[in-house]
Amino acid sequence: MTRILLILMAALAFAAGFLVAAPASWLHVLMPAFLQLNVSEGTLWKGSSQLIVNTQHPQALPSRIHWQWNWTPWPQLQINSDDLAQPLLLTLNGTRLSIGQSRLQLPASLLSSVHPLLASLQPQGNLSLSWPTFYANSPAAIDLQLHWQDASVAVSSLRPLGSYVLDLQLAKSSSLQLRTEHGPLQLRGQGSFGATQPWSFTGEAYSSPEYFAALQPLLHLLGPVHDGRAAIRLQTAP
């Protein structure tokens, strides 16, 4: 009996040591399909990696992410990056997982993955995605905001085109609203998307008279132009 107990204790000690030293690459199995870790260093509990947004045109975030687990008073994963305005905290309180508020800087070239039309425009500038604290698997809607600042596209020599805000409400049936903060190119519209429904967007683009000649080629690329306004219709498969 004593021998069996010693063997079990040795096995548990080996398993604990192996788990403590678990490589950072193990996090890959926990990542959603659209995110991928690359060149990971450290362990499952404290390490760093390059984060890649795995879409039709995969792109790596400019800065590496760093993570560390804390265990008191609740299990908490802290994620840091130069691209985050403040550390991102994932806290497990009982059976509830909360995701802390933060803001993430992204390259505007990621917009190329949303729709072939945007890919053809080759968007440039700075994206900033912000969100409040929310609980995973909560039925409550989550409000996110995406800013596109100093926006420009490769097919237009007029730069910048402006700054724009996309308000997203994530729910069972999610919605989005596009509005212009400022700039010569005015954009507005609304859309919807969900796990079982296509992503769709309808809107319009226009400019003030002094910029119309410079923006006319771009307006015609965005959609049919009537009275100086381009009608935008986008849709993708779910």
Side-chain angles (χ1 to χ4, degrees):
M1 186 69 179
T2 302
R3 184 179 179 183
I4 295 175
L5 183 60
L6 288 174
I7 292 174
L8 287 175
M9 290 177 65
L12 287 173
F14 175 80
F18 183 75
L19 190 60
V20 167
S25 58
W26 282 18
L27 277 176
H28 177 72
V29 300
L30 303 177
M31 303 297 291
F34 66 92
L35 293 177
Q36 178 182 341
L37 295 177
N38 187 42
V39 195
S40 299
E41 298 176 353
T43 69
L44 187 67
W45 316 109
K46 184 177 181 180
S48 68
S49 184
Q50 182 184 46
L51 188 63
I52 296 176
V53 182
N54 193 23
T55 59
Q56 186 177 359
H57 306 282
Q59 301 223 13
L61 297 190
S63 303
R64 289 177 68 85
I65 63 169
H66 302 261
W67 65 84
Q68 179 175 343
W69 281 91
N70 301 306
W71 302 102
T72 56
W74 305 102
Q76 184 179 79
L77 177 62
Q78 178 174 307
I79 301 174
N80 295 279
S81 170
D82 290 342
D83 298 323
L84 284 167
Q86 63 191 64
L88 175 61
L89 301 177
L90 281 66
T91 306
L92 185 61
N93 188 340
T95 59
R96 304 188 73 189
L97 175 65
S98 68
I99 294 90
Q101 70 173 19
S102 193
R103 186 176 72 252
L104 177 63
Q105 302 294 327
L106 299 164
S109 54
L110 282 173
L111 293 174
S112 298
S113 303
V114 175
H115 192 274
L117 173 61
L118 291 174
S120 68
L121 296 177
Q122 300 179 40
Q124 300 162 16
N126 302 306
L127 294 180
S128 176
L129 179 65
S130 58
W131 60 90
T133 297
F134 63 94
Y135 287 96
N137 298 323
S138 171
I142 305 168
D143 294 320
L144 289 78
Q145 198 169 76
L146 181 68
H147 281 77
W148 184 13
Q149 298 173 315
D150 296 326
S152 63
V153 292
V155 297
S156 175
S157 59
L158 184 60
R159 301 185 179 193
L161 296 171
S163 292
Y164 310 94
V165 179
L166 190 66
D167 296 306
L168 300 103
Q169 187 174 79
L170 302 185
K172 187 174 182 180
S173 180
S174 302
S175 63
L176 57 92
Q177 296 280 338
L178 175 64
R179 52 190 170 90
T180 301
E181 285 190 313
H182 58 80
L185 178 66
Q186 299 289 307
L187 297 173
R188 66 181 183 186
Q190 57 281 320
S192 62
F193 59 97
T196 59
Q197 68 183 82
W199 180 91
S200 63
F201 175 84
T202 59
E204 63 176 5
Y206 58 97
S207 73
S208 52
E210 64 267 29
Y211 294 108
F212 182 73
L215 290 173
Q216 188 174 10
L218 175 58
L219 293 176
H220 281 278
L221 284 174
L222 293 175
V225 178
H226 181 69
D227 291 337
R229 295 173 180 257
I232 305 173
R233 301 286 188 273
L234 303 179
Q235 184 168 316
T236 60

